[in-house]
Amino acid sequence: MTAIPQERRVVTAIPGPKSVELQARRLAAVAAGVGSTLPVFTARAGGGIIEDVDGNRLIDFGSGIAVTSVGASAEAVVRRASAQLADFTHTCFMVTPYEGYVEVCEQLAELTPGDHAKKSALFNSGAEAVENAVKIARAYTKRTAVVVFDHGYHGRTNLTMGMTAKNMPYKQGFGPFAPEVYRVPVAYGYRWPTGAENAGAEASAQAIDEITKQIGADNVAAIVIEPVLGEGGFIEPAKGFLPAIARFAKDNGIVFVADEIQSGFCRTGQWFACEDEGIVPDLITTAKGIAGGLPLSAVTGRAEIMDAAHSGGLGGTYGGNPVACAGALGAIETMRELDLNGKARRIEEVMKGRLAEMRAKLPNGDIIGDIRGRGAMIAIELVKSGTKDPNPEAAARLAKACHAEGVLVLTCGTYGNVLRFLPPLVIGEDLLTEGLDVIEQAFAAV
């Protein structure tokens, strides 16, 4: 495997002629409902670079939506997955098991918060993990209601669409959705009516009041929340909010589920984002960064809760595929060896520093309403000058200007006005800085 030069290179228009040709084939063969942020077709990727079929090299500030945290072709992932491919690709763990699945579960027990006895079950996608966490919580509590939060995102299956807050593009036209899902407020500091300093206490009190009055705590099987809300706009719930909700869950026999699918595995500078306020969830769902780009997800939690489902009640043909398990063991090895938590914290330092400078010195810098996030999960919320009115047009124009110059960035947010940055944790600091230079120049296009 030849290493990809870690340098930005724009040799054609973005997208280039070969990508345009492939896009025509794609439009003829791939369902229109499958979108793409940027129709640039990848030839190779590694480190902090994506190389396209036209020879352009883009700085990667997306990591395949927080998946390739260890890089898109990490040596340990490739080595372990290749060795497993040569041995066997599949037996189905529910037919004849294999060690890799067990080893991933052992690693998850060691890495996730809390020193209680833990067990795991492995699946394919984040949505599957969330859905199975709900199944397990219902089996354990013998209750049915599920509580989720404003701005939350949990997936695209029927149940997880119902749990997801944002309608377009995730839910529009796809209902009816699963019943017994209830949504309550979250402490969105930047937009909290009485100010960020009051958001934690007020939002938690409001959420608990709504759960108590409208659902009844005794009817709630699970409270499911992302410790940093991903698609909703990289919202860090204001301090005090998560501990209050976790306490309420514990006091009322409710299973507290941390959805760490986007925020887990060193992304926020800790193994898991819920560690920031000392939260020990009953169940934790993981996917994305777990396996270096191979499809794998997990539910990990208290052994007595995980064991509540009857034998045969959990599983799936491909769940915990041996090649994906090998990839996960390679990804975890890489995270440990390279101290990717430390690298994520350094990325935060560099990015937040530069973004704050941009806001201060750019003539239109006041459209950056908020700079937030942790580790290598950083975002800017764009607003109309002099207001807090969402500015999705500015986010779209900024992203487009960055793409044209060879920097891949993503947007998100309930209002579509958040530019989010998810660089691979292994990105070189020179590339990180160069990407930020391009973002700064892109403000001229807004």
Side-chain angles (χ1 to χ4, degrees):
M1 184 177 69
T2 314
I4 299 166
Q6 294 295 295
E7 55 190 34
R8 179 172 65 108
R9 183 175 74 167
V10 180
V11 293
T12 71
I14 306 275
K18 289 181 182 173
S19 278
V20 169
E21 195 179 303
L22 281 164
Q23 177 69 357
R25 286 171 55 192
R26 173 214 165 113
L27 292 173
V30 179
V34 182
S36 285
T37 299
L38 180 60
V40 159
F41 283 74
T42 305
R44 306 188 294 161
I49 291 289
I50 293 172
E51 186 174 287
D52 74 8
V53 289
D54 290 288
N56 299 299
R57 294 196 195 110
L58 283 69
I59 298 176
D60 181 11
F61 275 10
S63 298
I65 317 183
V67 169
T68 54
S69 299
V70 295
S73 49
E75 184 278 330
V77 174
V78 173
R79 168 172 40 84
R80 287 185 182 239
S82 299
Q84 181 56 54
L85 272 169
D87 288 341
F88 61 94
T89 59
H90 175 78
T91 66
C92 184
F93 190 77
M94 298 180 300
V95 178
T96 57
Y98 36 88
E99 186 181 1
Y101 187 119
V102 176
E103 199 176 341
V104 169
C105 293
E106 288 169 342
Q107 291 283 335
L108 286 165
E110 185 183 326
L111 292 170
T112 51
D115 54 10
H116 49 274
K118 296 176 208 159
K119 292 189 177 182
S120 293
L122 305 184
F123 305 98
N124 305 291
S125 68
E128 261 190 278
V130 172
E131 194 137 334
N132 277 279
V134 170
K135 284 166 61 175
I136 291 162
R138 284 174 168 166
Y140 178 72
T141 61
K142 308 293 189 284
R143 304 170 180 178
T144 55
V146 177
V147 171
V148 291
F149 293 83
D150 286 339
H151 309 288
Y153 176 86
H154 299 288
R156 294 174 182 262
T157 57
N158 185 267
L159 174 60
T160 56
M161 276 192 294
M163 294 170 68
T164 290
K166 190 175 179 181
N167 178 50
M168 274 297 287
Y170 307 115
K171 301 162 75 167
Q172 176 67 27
F174 298 144
F177 303 114
E180 289 296 298
V181 175
Y182 301 89
R183 196 172 323 284
V184 296
V186 75
Y188 187 168
Y190 178 66
R191 295 197 171 274
W192 195 253
T194 60
E197 65 281 3
N198 301 315
E202 291 180 5
S204 57
Q206 201 175 319
I208 288 165
D209 186 59
E210 288 186 20
I211 295 166
T212 307
K213 287 179 180 166
Q214 297 179 25
I215 311 161
D218 291 349
N219 296 317
V220 179
I223 293 175
V224 185
I225 189 166
E226 303 159 275
V228 177
L229 284 73
E231 300 300 309
F234 282 25
I235 300 161
E236 286 185 90
K239 295 293 182 229
F241 180 82
L242 288 173
I245 298 294
R247 239 182 345 263
F248 172 76
K250 187 176 184 182
D251 291 345
N252 289 278
I254 299 166
V255 176
F256 183 85
V257 183
D259 178 343
E260 292 261 13
I261 286 157
Q262 191 161 168
S263 59
F265 286 100
C266 307
R267 177 51 60 181
T268 62
Q270 292 166 295
W271 280 100
F272 298 97
C274 58
E275 296 174 63
D276 184 63
E277 288 186 88
I279 305 291
V280 178
D282 298 311
L283 300 179
I284 186 165
T285 59
T286 52
K288 290 191 183 289
I290 193 174
L294 294 168
L296 186 71
S297 67
V299 183
T300 302
R302 297 183 185 278
E304 68 275 15
I305 299 177
M306 291 298 298
D307 282 343
H310 53 272
S311 179
L314 304 176
T317 302
Y318 295 111
N321 168 271
V323 181
C325 286
L329 295 170
I332 291 166
E333 175 189 323
T334 306
M335 290 169 197
R336 290 181 193 276
E337 282 190 3
L338 299 182
D339 181 22
L340 292 192
N341 281 317
K343 286 202 164 30
R345 290 192 293 272
R346 176 60 185 156
I347 289 168
E348 175 182 352
E349 193 183 335
V350 172
M351 292 202 97
K352 280 190 169 173
R354 277 296 300 281
L355 292 166
E357 279 174 27
M358 285 180 216
R359 179 160 63 179
K361 76 180 186 188
L362 287 166
N364 57 348
D366 73 329
I367 69 168
I368 300 177
D370 196 24
I371 300 166
R372 58 177 178 250
R374 292 205 304 274
M377 191 173 180
I378 302 294
I380 52 175
E381 177 160 358
L382 298 160
V383 292
K384 289 173 181 164
S385 187
T387 75
K388 283 193 177 182
D389 296 344
N391 194 341
E393 299 80 13
R397 284 197 296 271
L398 264 173
K400 190 177 179 186
C402 290
H403 295 164
E405 293 300 320
V407 176
L408 177 63
V409 295
L410 306 173
T411 58
C412 68
T414 300
Y415 312 107
N417 66 323
V418 176
L419 204 62
R420 59 173 159 172
F421 310 115
L422 290 161
L425 306 181
V426 295
I427 193 169
E429 204 161 307
D430 54 339
L431 278 184
L432 187 65
T433 303
E434 188 179 351
L436 286 159
D437 293 342
V438 171
I439 291 163
E440 186 167 342
Q441 290 153 18
F443 270 91
V446 176

